[in-house]
Amino acid sequence: MKSYIDSLLELIYPEKNTCFICEDYDEKISDKYICQDCERNLKKIQPPVCRKCSKPIDYNSSIDLCPECCDTKRYFIMSRSPYSYEGLIKKAIYSYKYYNKTYFYKLFGSLLIDYMKDINYTSFDCIVSVPLHSSKLRERGYNQSELIAKYLASRLSIPYVDAIKRTKKTLRQSGQSKEQRRKNLRGAFEIKHPAEKVINSSVLLVDDIYTTGSTADECSRALVNYGAAGVYVITIAR
Ligand SMILES: [Zn+2]
Ligand SMILES: [Zn+2]
């Protein structure tokens, strides 16, 4: 049976075979939600990248970690992102979050599935998402990361667990320094009881954007402290 949200979203979807980004009609789109031209214009992150956080690193670097990951302890094992946060993908994420283009979760989800299969990043025991504070959720009406996480969970047949709660309302993070973000987010996340599925599990944490890594790290810390065996992160862009 279709979920209520799916049925509702179908009413506002663009027509089948219409690119979500440029809104052109193209029969080759089928269930990819994006035309070939737009997909080519999304800027992929090219190797070599930091083995922890996927930040592009110098070809001549003698180590496979970026300077930040050398200096900062990370609670997640690794974070992966297919796209660089600029141009078309940045605009699309913005529309998704601030212009109510809720159905974009299917586009991002399907791009992520292709990428995750490509890099063999699909073996997890459960999938969780970065939560919004309840007041933010009320304001936006949906959690953009949760919609993508549930899409990935259903495509990969891995259980989605509603495991994390945001206990602290934080200011909008853009424009803040790395240190400020880290401080603001300290203790901002808690594990919802009970979340046994997380214990001793390899957990995939889904977020939309990776900026400084503070959000991913704080959520990972809560998961690891609760007993997760390892946390892996995926975001659309970084
Ligand atoms: Zn297009
Ligand atoms: Zn790094």
Side-chain angles (χ1 to χ4, degrees):
M1 205 184 94
K2 262 186 201 145
S3 72
Y4 170 70
I5 186 114
D6 270 343
S7 323
L8 194 73
L9 287 173
E10 266 166 28
L11 300 174
I12 47 169
Y13 269 158
E15 258 177 274
K16 198 173 165 9
N17 289 329
T18 302
C19 172
F20 280 15
I21 307 259
C22 69
E23 293 173 0
D24 273 359
Y25 182 88
D26 179 348
E27 267 166 20
K28 288 197 282 285
I29 291 175
S30 72
D31 54 1
K32 285 205 72 177
Y33 317 107
I34 185 167
C35 72
Q36 285 179 347
D37 281 347
C38 286
E39 194 173 1
R40 263 197 299 272
N41 282 323
L42 303 177
K43 197 170 172 229
K44 280 203 174 131
I45 293 177
Q46 300 295 344
V49 296
C50 169
R51 82 175 135 83
K52 270 270 165 197
C53 77
S54 288
K55 186 186 180 121
I57 49 174
D58 199 56
Y59 262 106
N60 304 315
S61 173
S62 54
I63 45 166
D64 55 0
L65 282 174
C66 72
E68 280 134 64
C69 289
C70 282
D71 291 346
T72 322
K73 175 179 164 47
R74 303 283 194 202
Y75 285 88
F76 53 82
I77 292 174
M78 63 172 81
S79 176
R80 291 288 173 260
S81 317
Y83 301 107
S84 175
Y85 187 52
E86 58 187 295
L88 269 191
I89 202 85
K90 188 172 177 177
K91 269 198 209 149
I93 294 173
Y94 196 87
S95 308
Y96 178 45
K97 283 164 78 169
Y98 303 107
Y99 285 97
N100 267 318
K101 298 215 170 175
T102 321
Y103 53 88
F104 267 41
Y105 80 92
K106 287 206 171 185
L107 164 67
F108 296 131
S110 93
L111 290 169
L112 283 176
I113 288 282
D114 288 350
Y115 168 74
M116 288 163 76
K117 286 187 173 161
D118 258 10
I119 63 165
N120 235 332
Y121 198 64
T122 53
S123 306
F124 307 101
D125 299 315
C126 63
I127 298 183
V128 305
S129 57
V130 171
L132 295 178
H133 190 267
S134 53
S135 60
K136 185 76 159 278
L137 184 61
R138 265 197 306 275
E139 185 189 308
R140 187 173 295 162
Y142 56 96
N143 172 354
Q144 71 279 2
S145 304
E146 180 185 337
L147 294 180
I148 298 171
K150 285 181 170 164
Y151 178 92
L152 298 180
S154 93
R155 287 280 307 271
L156 297 169
S157 306
I158 297 173
Y160 172 81
V161 185
D162 180 18
I164 317 173
K165 183 165 72 181
R166 194 170 198 131
T167 51
K168 222 162 101 181
K169 202 178 168 188
T170 42
L171 301 167
R172 216 170 146 188
Q173 299 270 83
S174 43
Q176 291 183 5
S177 75
K178 215 166 60 188
E179 291 320 311
Q180 275 174 320
R181 282 180 186 237
R182 199 161 266 281
K183 237 171 93 187
N184 284 343
L185 283 171
R186 265 284 141 128
F189 300 102
E190 262 173 30
I191 301 302
K192 287 184 181 173
H193 296 276
E196 282 91 4
K197 272 214 172 76
V198 160
I199 297 172
N200 293 326
S201 290
S202 149
V203 181
L204 179 71
L205 172 70
V206 181
D207 202 1
D208 51 355
I209 315 159
Y210 183 106
T211 312
T212 60
S214 306
T215 304
D217 216 31
E218 277 303 310
C219 288
S220 303
R221 188 153 72 116
L223 290 164
V224 168
N225 287 343
Y226 196 80
V231 181
Y232 297 80
V233 182
I234 187 96
T235 74
I236 308 159
R238 65 147 296 147

